[in-house]
């Protein structure tokens, strides 16, 4: 004989998880007493809307720690707990919200719905009745009254199902439990969440729905399409595979599976090409991604972000700046793109623009070592560019090879050799130019000295080389006596001095 309590428990486990995440709009409400709490609240909200629940939860944890009396922080954290299916963790937070702000009807409604979902019908009814007595808005009054009616109906159906089960009339009990599930259906809420862009809440509802039936292919299909539209191709592929495990012939799932699989393969292939430093091929592959899925904005942004990176890494600075800028118009806080555009600006010797990008990136990722090092290097290069630039002296790019540097040096040395000038003033100017050209050649053909220069340190500048052994051209042009600046080349000039 099955006990009454055991039967009741079994029945109540059929009641699905219900998430009623009510958006609040309180103008002038501060999320915390200091800026860090405000920042955590704002970041948490953004991550929640994007479905990144674990990251959102971390920010709301920090907000609660930063201001333990911030009722909104508890409320938002409860929202994330519910979205993650952690109703036991959400309930204390909602109770804390009500404790801190007893007239917060949204939280009381939320808690009432949670209690209803857990089968604690008497406690749920108490919350709904208190909402009705607290001068609620018309919308809140309608919801509380509706939930009270629903609670009464659930109690009646549970009692009837209990009786049918005890009488071993399982068919009737099952039908009555199906009606309970229908009363708590999340379908309409799901469509609302999708329409208003609350994808995190839609995903939460669908994950709960997918557990209610063993063959809920439609829930897995919808989950897959939502993840796909968010640009998460891997999660989309996982969910559509779950659908096909249940029904290999499911038309919608199979069609969607082929699309996601193709896109996923292209993205993985492009990333492998980037790892192998085959950047131009990676660019082509990501351009194919945009052709495969031109309608989903997230995939277009992803493709352009990675194209930006590949172009920056392959020293195609002008193209990189153009593509990176397109991404930043839509996603101005994208730290990776800001870093890549900064690097491209450095390659273009637009140091002030690079510094702006690094500083913006640092605001959104304070502990990123790459940003810090890039910013310091660019600041040195800017300072250096305002003094003497050996690449500009020889008229070569920073990516120039040694042969190209020597070729440029020889051409300029021949042009500016002092013996080519008779006028004393012109000869003096040529001597200075000739020394600069020779120093540029020495620095840029010596790997160690060139590396120092590329990091913002001038090996020929005594101020930046204090305490270091280095070579200088002391004594002006006369220091070149006996030195053939053209090495083993075909040029040979006689040095004459007046």
């Amino acid at each position: 004989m099955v006990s009454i309590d055991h039967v009741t428990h079994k029945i109540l486990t059929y009641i699905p998880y219900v998430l009623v995440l009510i958006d609040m709009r309180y103008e002038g409400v501060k999320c915390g007493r200091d800026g860090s709490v405000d920042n955590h609240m704002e970041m948490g909200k953004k991550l929640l809307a994007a479905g990144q629940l674990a990251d959102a939860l971390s920010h709301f944890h920090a907000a609660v720690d930063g201001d333990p009396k911030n009722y909104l922080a508890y409320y938002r954290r409860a929202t994330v707990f519910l979205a993650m299916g952690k109703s036991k963790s959400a309930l204390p937070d909602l109770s804390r919200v009500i404790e801190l702000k007893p007239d917060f009807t949204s939280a009381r409604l939320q808690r009432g719905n949670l209690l209803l979902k857990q089968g604690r019908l008497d406690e749920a009814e108490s919350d709904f009745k208190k909402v009705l007595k607290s001068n609620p808005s018309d919308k809140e009054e309608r919801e509380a009254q509706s939930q009270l009616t629903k609670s009464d109906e659930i109690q009646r159906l549970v009692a009837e199902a209990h009786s049918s089960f005890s009488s071993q009339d399982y068919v009737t009990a099952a039908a009555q439990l199906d009606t309970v599930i229908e009363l708590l259906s999340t379908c309409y809420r799901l469509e609302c969440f999708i329409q208003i862009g609350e994808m995190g809440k839609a995903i939460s509802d669908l994950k709960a729905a997918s557990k209610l039936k063993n063959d809920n292919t439609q829930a897995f299909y919808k989950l897959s399409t939502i993840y796909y539209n968010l640009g998460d191709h891997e999660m989309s592929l996982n969910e559509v595979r779950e659908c096909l495990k249940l029904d290999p012939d499911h038309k919608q799932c199979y069609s969607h599976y082929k699309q996601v699989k193709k896109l996923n393969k292209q993205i993985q292939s492009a990333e492998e090409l980037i790892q192998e430093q085959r950047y131009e091929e990676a660019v082509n592959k990501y351009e194919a991604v945009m052709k495969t899925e031109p309608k989903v904005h997230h995939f277009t942004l992803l493709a352009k972000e990675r194209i930006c990176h590949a172009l920056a890494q392959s020293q195609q600075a002008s193209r990189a700046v153009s593509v990176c800028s397109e991404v930043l118009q839509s996603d101005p806080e994208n730290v990776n793109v800001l870093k890549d555009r900064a690097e491209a600006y450095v390659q273009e010797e637009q140091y002030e623009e690079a510094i702006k990008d690094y500083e913006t990136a640092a605001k959104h990722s304070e502990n990123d070592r790459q940003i810090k090092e890039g910013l310091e290097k660019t600041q040195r290069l800017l300072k250096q560019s305002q003094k003497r630039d050996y690449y500009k002296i020889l008229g070569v790019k920073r990516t120039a090879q040694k042969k190209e540097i020597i070729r440029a040096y020889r051409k300029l040395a021949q042009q500016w050799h002092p013996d080519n000038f008779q006028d004393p003033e012109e000869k003096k100017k040529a001597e200075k130019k000739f020394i600069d050209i020779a120093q540029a050649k020495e620095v840029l053909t010596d790997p160690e000295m060139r590396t120092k220069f590329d990091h913002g340190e001038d090996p020929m500048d005594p101020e930046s080389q204090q305490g270091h052994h280095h070579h200088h051209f002391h004594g002006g042009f006369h220091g070149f006596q006996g030195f053939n600046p053209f090495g083993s080349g075909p040029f040979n000039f006689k040095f004459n001095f007046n």
Side-chain angles (χ1 to χ4, degrees), residues 53-120:
L53 303 181
D55 292 335
L57 186 60
S58 295
H59 281 285
F60 291 133
H61 278 323
V64 168
D65 292 341
D67 186 359
K69 293 187 178 180
N70 186 339
Y71 68 91
L72 282 177
Y74 288 102
Y75 183 80
R76 292 296 182 188
R77 188 169 73 174
T79 297
V80 180
F81 279 137
L82 289 171
M84 298 174 80
K86 297 181 179 181
S87 55
K88 288 184 178 179
S89 298
L91 192 56
D93 274 0
L94 289 172
S95 297
R96 178 65 172 153
V97 173
I98 295 167
E99 179 186 338
L100 291 168
K101 191 170 178 59
D103 62 344
F104 192 177
T105 53
S106 295
R108 199 175 287 278
L109 274 172
Q110 181 87 300
R111 188 175 71 173
N113 284 312
L114 182 55
L115 292 167
L116 185 65
K117 180 262 294 188
Q118 291 182 348
R120 296 160 64 176

Side-chain angles (χ1 to χ4, degrees), residues 282-347:
V283 168
N284 294 335
K285 187 66 69 174
Y286 267 119
E287 287 175 345
V289 167
M290 289 190 284
K291 291 178 181 177
T292 298
E293 184 46 81
K295 297 179 181 179
V296 178
H297 184 57
H298 287 285
F299 286 120
T300 300
L301 275 184
L302 169 66
K304 288 184 176 180
E305 175 182 338
R306 301 305 287 158
I307 288 172
C308 154
H309 176 72
L311 292 172
Q313 291 297 307
S314 60
Q315 305 286 319
Q316 299 184 60
S318 180
R319 287 177 67 192
V321 168
S322 177
V323 177
C324 295
S325 298
E326 287 181 33
V327 179
L328 292 170
Q329 285 179 355
S330 299
D331 188 8
E333 298 178 4
N334 191 315
V335 172
N336 290 328
V337 176
L338 285 165
K339 289 192 291 187
D340 284 326
R341 190 172 72 172
E343 177 58 31
Y345 276 137
V346 169
Q347 294 166 19

